[in-house]
Amino acid sequence: MNKKQIFTLLFTTISLVSPTLSLHAQQTVIATVPQSTLDLTTSQILWKAPKNHGGSSHFGYVLFTNGNLLTNTNGVPTSASFVIDMNTIKSIDNRDQKKNDNVDLELKSKDFFDVARFQTAVMIVKKAVTTKTPSVFTITGELTMKGVTNTIHFNATIKNVNNQIKVTANLVIDRMKWNVKNTEGNFFGGVKNMLIEEKIPIALELLFTKM
């Protein structure tokens, strides 16, 4: 075999092997994208239902069924998703537990969150953009409640602590966009809607464990 034939054989072999090596390299890069899982024992959403025209507000928390966070190799978040367990919604503003229980029943009723039909809500983070403030990101995502999906925007503080990622955020949602309103269709239903403000402040307290 002359030098030309050897060169041709070597070139052909490299050409056949290269796509396989390239594909393997791509798979390796994808596999190194870290995924973190939501700590269900400590993560929660804090909510507040301010009343119009003064008066004390109801407030409480709701917990998650599951959640995960993806970051790139530099630790910057790329996407996330959470499933919220609407059966866990609790009010804690009253010292009388029976009064809290009554508020919980009303919130879970068809006049508000209709938990019997919509037992979960879903929050999906589609984009996280860095800001001038270290560890603070502008988040764009979607929130689905009662079968209604709306886009949400808010700032979140995301910090890496040892093998965990801590996320905190404050945002305000307009409950009417998700049809979270009294649907009795009578005078009393209208009064209940007017008593509670449409803008509901919520706070995210999330802790993720890196896998």
Side-chain angles (χ1 to χ4, degrees):
M1 183 179 294
N2 58 38
K3 290 183 179 181
K4 183 176 182 180
Q5 289 174 321
I6 293 174
F7 178 81
T8 303
L9 177 61
L10 181 60
F11 180 81
T12 303
T13 302
I14 292 173
S15 299
L16 291 172
V17 172
S18 293
T20 304
L21 293 175
S22 178
L23 177 60
H24 177 72
Q26 290 175 12
Q27 291 173 339
T28 302
V29 170
I30 293 172
T32 58
V33 175
Q35 176 174 325
S36 304
T37 57
L38 187 67
D39 185 340
L40 301 179
T41 62
T42 58
S43 301
Q44 60 181 348
I45 297 176
L46 304 177
W47 57 266
K48 185 177 181 180
K51 292 184 179 179
N52 284 313
H53 314 297
S56 58
S57 302
H58 293 304
F59 58 86
Y61 64 87
V62 62
L63 304 177
F64 297 90
T65 298
N66 60 68
N68 64 77
L69 171 69
L70 293 177
T71 60
N72 62 22
T73 51
N74 295 322
V76 177
T78 56
S79 64
S81 62
F82 318 95
V83 179
I84 304 163
D85 184 357
M86 298 306 297
N87 279 297
T88 65
I89 192 167
K90 296 286 184 183
S91 58
I92 57 174
D93 56 278
N94 205 299
R95 293 183 178 180
D96 186 340
Q97 186 56 45
K98 289 185 178 179
K99 292 184 178 180
N100 286 332
D101 292 341
N102 288 335
V103 173
D104 296 344
L105 287 173
E106 187 166 8
L107 290 174
K108 293 178 182 179
S109 73
K110 65 180 181 179
D111 295 325
F112 285 95
F113 288 102
D114 198 0
V115 174
R117 289 184 60 201
F118 305 99
Q119 297 188 25
T120 60
V122 178
M123 182 181 292
I124 297 176
V125 173
K126 293 193 168 186
K127 184 170 63 173
V129 179
T130 57
T131 66
K132 294 181 179 179
T133 305
S135 302
V136 176
F137 297 81
T138 298
I139 305 297
T140 299
E142 291 180 346
L143 176 61
T144 301
M145 288 193 300
K146 298 185 71 175
V148 179
T149 301
N150 285 299
T151 300
I152 53 175
H153 303 279
F154 59 93
N155 282 352
T157 300
I158 304 175
K159 294 183 177 181
N160 286 270
V161 182
N162 298 323
N163 197 43
Q164 295 179 315
I165 300 175
K166 184 178 181 181
V167 180
T168 56
N170 292 284
L171 59 151
V172 177
I173 62 172
D174 184 343
R175 63 185 178 89
M176 304 299 276
K177 290 183 177 180
W178 286 270
N179 294 326
V180 180
K181 57 185 178 180
N182 191 286
T183 57
E184 290 180 21
N186 54 32
F187 171 78
F188 296 104
V191 170
K192 288 180 180 179
N193 278 325
M194 288 189 292
L195 286 175
I196 302 174
E197 290 188 10
E198 295 180 3
K199 307 292 185 180
I200 305 297
I202 63 175
L204 304 179
E205 295 183 353
L206 312 177
L207 185 66
F208 295 89
T209 301
K210 298 177 182 178
M211 297 180 65

